[in-house]
Amino acid sequence: MPGHNGFGIMPNLKDQPVLAPGHVRYRGEAVLALVGKRAAVEAVRDADLPIAWEPLPPLAGTEAALAGGALHAHAPDNVLTRGHLRRGDVASAHAASAATAKGHFTTAFVEHAYIEPEAGHAVPVGDRIEVTACTQAPAIDREETARVLGIPEAHVRIIPTACGGGFGGKLDVSVQPLLAVAARVTGRAVRTVYSRIESMASSTKRHPASISARMSADAEGRFTAYEMEGDFNTGAYASWGPTVANRVPVHASGPYRVPNVHNRTRAIYTNETPAGAFRGFGVPQAAIATECLVDDLAEAMGMDRWAIRRLNAIGHGDATPSGQVLHASAGLPECLDALRPDWDAMLADAAGLNAGSPRYRHGAGIACMWYGCGNTSLSNPSTMRVVLDRDGTLTLFNGACDIGQGSTTVIGQIAADAIGLPVAQLRQVIGDTDLTPDAGKTSASRQTFVSGRAAYEAGSALRRRILPLANAGPDAHLHLHGTTLRVNDGEATRTIDLSSLPEPLEATGYFDPPTTPLDADGQGTPYATYGFAAQCALVRVDTALGTTKVLRIAAAQDVGRAINPTLVEGQIHGGIAQGLGLALMEEFIPGRTENLHDYLIPTVGDVPPITVHLIEDPDPEGPYGAKGVGEPALVPTAPAILGAIRHATGVRVTRVPVLPHRLWEALQG
């Protein structure tokens, strides 16, 4: 490596080498790069490579890591970071409560399984390097690549490709620094595509979690206290471990009014696959624990599972465990109300179906979620630039990477609407670090909310530049025909000859969500807005085989404002599919499930009919009231399915995925 042989998401911690310099910390870590013509590279046998291996005993799992030697000098106890939130007096509240539920819950590594593996090419251009690759964060890629090369960031250009799925797994660099170094060393264009096995062995995963939690309620069923301790296996390198450890304590008690909360988390190094960002940053794991305890309390209190959630649902004017008061866009009560007919129908269907067969048992489950949009108590701005050129071309310079969620479409709609021209007349330049402002990374359900608002500001600013040129008021209508811009303002019509202007008309928009740092007890304003959702599921369990078939799912989600309802529903469908995989089948085991034959993901045959209710409780900070939808859609699916399995069979599930042999064994007990 000509510069620094290390990368990592955290600004002050670059603990993962591009090529391991003599010590390998996990299976799948890169140790050398072979560069050459395809035939020459493929002719080299692994056995011929000049590597002498000395096997060392690995620290697998968080318990072994806490008891073993240090993997990194900066973490002598193998604890990368700790998260903490405290509000009220948990011990006294538990003691005074009418009912208390507790449990220990575990989850596994989960693979993103994006269809497109990591791929790209790099080209030396003068004293610069241009890298074209699949990514969720081009600005971060440029920073990381420049550091590895030992050159200024201005000498690196990142050109994102159309991305075939990411889900968080393409936030960390992968091929980018390897390609850049190879191109710089050889002075030639270099390309690479990871095989599926290389991709799955080397890339980050969802954090396995080990969570112990306790929750209490008073005699009326109102929640009084919640506490949890969670250990998250961050694998061999830090990646997004600190983000998970800090986000989970804010969310762990669920989208409910809970006056007394104490949450503690640790991200722990192990000799396993690095765990990073994956659609929810640890919140799906925490929701599995919390929603099970809510079901426990409903059972203890003799309450309907929908009713106890509706009674405790957080809403307008309520304070979160971090002390933040929700003044707007808190639509969970409305989500639950919209879901009530589906819930009642599923309960009735389960009861009717169970009367017919002792082997096949049916059940209904319900779960709620909330999710802060954007970084936790950190600045995460976006900048957009829009230009109306003298030749009549209208261009949005949009640095937000679309990884399949539809941000290019939605952000374009927002910008065009703010200007007052049809979106069909807007062309976009996407993601190129030489051409577009930094819109921030595509993660944390932030692009529609943050970059969409920046696009709104840019479009509005351009409109404010246009209208005075025609002496028109704010309600004027714009029509663009070639180089002629016609402005209709009531009875008056004026035209602007764009070709006669001395320079193009352009404007920039900027938005950084208003947050505050969290204090030592996790108190503050970690997010400017939250997504809320509730889902219910109907399942059929084959008690002879231990298999579970999800028959129907209904989802209600507060999206603020649905800028593009079809795309919003698509995000909800996709989140449900991934949540189903988390619940029932997905478990990454290094060395054993490193391909899409042994690692199972849901297919079209596994995903049931889905009913979606879009709840619009506008957020005043969002563009036209919109907020993020991508991650919230996944969070309640798994706990709803687990609740349905419990309703069908009586088995209280505390480990996911619920593989058939595990459920079958539980049924025998």
Side-chain angles (χ1 to χ4, degrees), residues 472 475-479 486-494:
D475 297 328
H477 296 279
L478 307 183
H479 303 272
R486 191 173 80 249
V487 183
N488 295 338
D489 188 14
E491 298 297 322
T493 297
R494 301 176 181 89

Side-chain angles (χ1 to χ4, degrees), residues 292-361:
C292 179
L293 298 185
V294 172
D295 284 353
D296 290 342
L297 291 174
E299 183 177 317
M301 306 298 295
M303 296 181 67
D304 176 84
R305 287 169 286 161
W306 177 92
I308 197 170
R309 288 171 168 83
R310 183 62 177 85
L311 175 66
N312 290 282
I314 201 166
H316 289 249
D318 290 330
T320 71
S322 66
Q324 179 179 357
V325 177
L326 302 177
H327 296 292
S329 197
L332 181 61
E334 292 77 12
C335 289
L336 282 164
D337 290 345
L339 209 61
R340 181 61 189 265
D342 299 281
W343 174 244
D344 289 341
M346 288 183 186
L347 289 176
D349 288 348
L353 291 166
N354 285 339
S357 171
R359 173 176 171 175
Y360 296 100
R361 304 299 300 168

Side-chain angles (χ1 to χ4, degrees), residues 276-294:
F278 189 167
R279 205 170 191 173
F281 285 110
V283 176
Q285 297 94 303
I288 287 170
T290 303
E291 293 299 312
C292 179
L293 298 185
V294 172

Side-chain angles (χ1 to χ4, degrees), residues 156-362:
V156 176
R157 179 184 186 184
I158 302 294
I159 306 170
T161 61
C163 189
F167 313 114
K170 293 176 182 172
L171 284 168
D172 302 74
V173 295
S174 56
V175 300
Q176 295 90 327
L178 285 168
L179 287 167
V181 170
R184 192 166 183 84
V185 168
T186 63
R188 300 176 62 177
V190 180
R191 64 173 176 164
T192 191
V193 180
Y194 281 3
S195 69
R196 179 60 62 183
I197 292 175
E198 287 171 333
S199 173
M200 293 183 70
S202 66
S203 62
T204 60
K205 305 289 178 278
R206 185 181 295 283
H207 283 74
S210 174
I211 296 173
S212 295
R214 187 158 66 132
M215 193 173 196
S216 293
D218 64 18
E220 284 75 43
R222 292 183 174 85
F223 301 149
T224 56
Y226 180 90
E227 62 180 321
M228 67 88 76
E229 291 186 357
D231 284 341
F232 291 82
N233 182 344
T234 208
Y237 298 106
S239 185
W240 292 87
T243 303
V244 169
N246 290 320
R247 180 177 279 267
V248 168
V250 175
H251 294 82
S253 58
Y256 306 112
R257 292 185 299 274
V258 188
N260 304 283
V261 177
H262 189 197
N263 296 329
R264 290 150 290 177
T265 57
R266 296 184 294 189
I268 299 169
Y269 283 122
T270 68
N271 282 126
E272 296 178 279
T273 308
F278 189 167
R279 205 170 191 173
F281 285 110
V283 176
Q285 297 94 303
I288 287 170
T290 303
E291 293 299 312
C292 179
L293 298 185
V294 172
D295 284 353
D296 290 342
L297 291 174
E299 183 177 317
M301 306 298 295
M303 296 181 67
D304 176 84
R305 287 169 286 161
W306 177 92
I308 197 170
R309 288 171 168 83
R310 183 62 177 85
L311 175 66
N312 290 282
I314 201 166
H316 289 249
D318 290 330
T320 71
S322 66
Q324 179 179 357
V325 177
L326 302 177
H327 296 292
S329 197
L332 181 61
E334 292 77 12
C335 289
L336 282 164
D337 290 345
L339 209 61
R340 181 61 189 265
D342 299 281
W343 174 244
D344 289 341
M346 288 183 186
L347 289 176
D349 288 348
L353 291 166
N354 285 339
S357 171
R359 173 176 171 175
Y360 296 100
R361 304 299 300 168
H362 298 78

Side-chain angles (χ1 to χ4, degrees), residues 60-76:
T62 54
E63 288 188 15
L66 292 170
L71 274 69
H72 297 273
H74 60 265

Side-chain angles (χ1 to χ4, degrees), residues 531-559:
F532 296 89
Q535 293 179 14
C536 55
L538 178 68
V539 307
R540 179 181 69 233
V541 176
D542 184 338
T543 59
L545 299 178
T547 56
T548 301
K549 174 68 176 176
V550 182
L551 302 177
R552 193 162 78 244
I553 287 182
Q557 189 160 323
D558 170 20
V559 301

Side-chain angles (χ1 to χ4, degrees), residues 462-610:
L462 180 62
R463 182 176 174 85
R464 289 194 297 271
R465 288 203 62 188
I466 292 169
L467 295 179
L469 299 178
N471 195 28
D475 297 328
H477 296 279
L478 307 183
H479 303 272
L480 180 61
H481 303 280
T483 61
T484 300
L485 182 62
R486 191 173 80 249
V487 183
N488 295 338
D489 188 14
E491 298 297 322
T493 297
R494 301 176 181 89
T495 59
I496 301 170
D497 181 4
L498 298 173
S499 64
S500 68
L501 297 178
E503 59 184 9
L505 297 172
E506 66 176 86
T508 299
Y510 174 89
F511 180 62
D512 190 4
T515 62
T516 65
L518 298 179
D519 66 16
D521 283 329
Q523 300 299 295
T525 303
Y527 311 100
T529 191
Y530 297 81
F532 296 89
Q535 293 179 14
C536 55
L538 178 68
V539 307
R540 179 181 69 233
V541 176
D542 184 338
T543 59
L545 299 178
T547 56
T548 301
K549 174 68 176 176
V550 182
L551 302 177
R552 193 162 78 244
I553 287 182
Q557 189 160 323
D558 170 20
V559 301
R561 175 80 181 276
I563 301 294
N564 188 311
T566 300
L567 286 178
V568 170
E569 289 198 24
Q571 282 291 283
I572 293 171
H573 279 238
I576 287 170
Q578 283 190 314
L580 188 153
L582 170 65
L584 297 179
M585 62 186 70
E586 297 193 45
E587 182 172 21
F588 177 80
I589 303 171
R592 290 177 53 191
T593 59
E594 293 174 345
N595 58 70
L596 293 179
H597 173 75
D598 297 307
Y599 184 88
L600 301 181
I601 61 174
T603 68
V604 66
D606 298 302
V607 178
I610 298 170

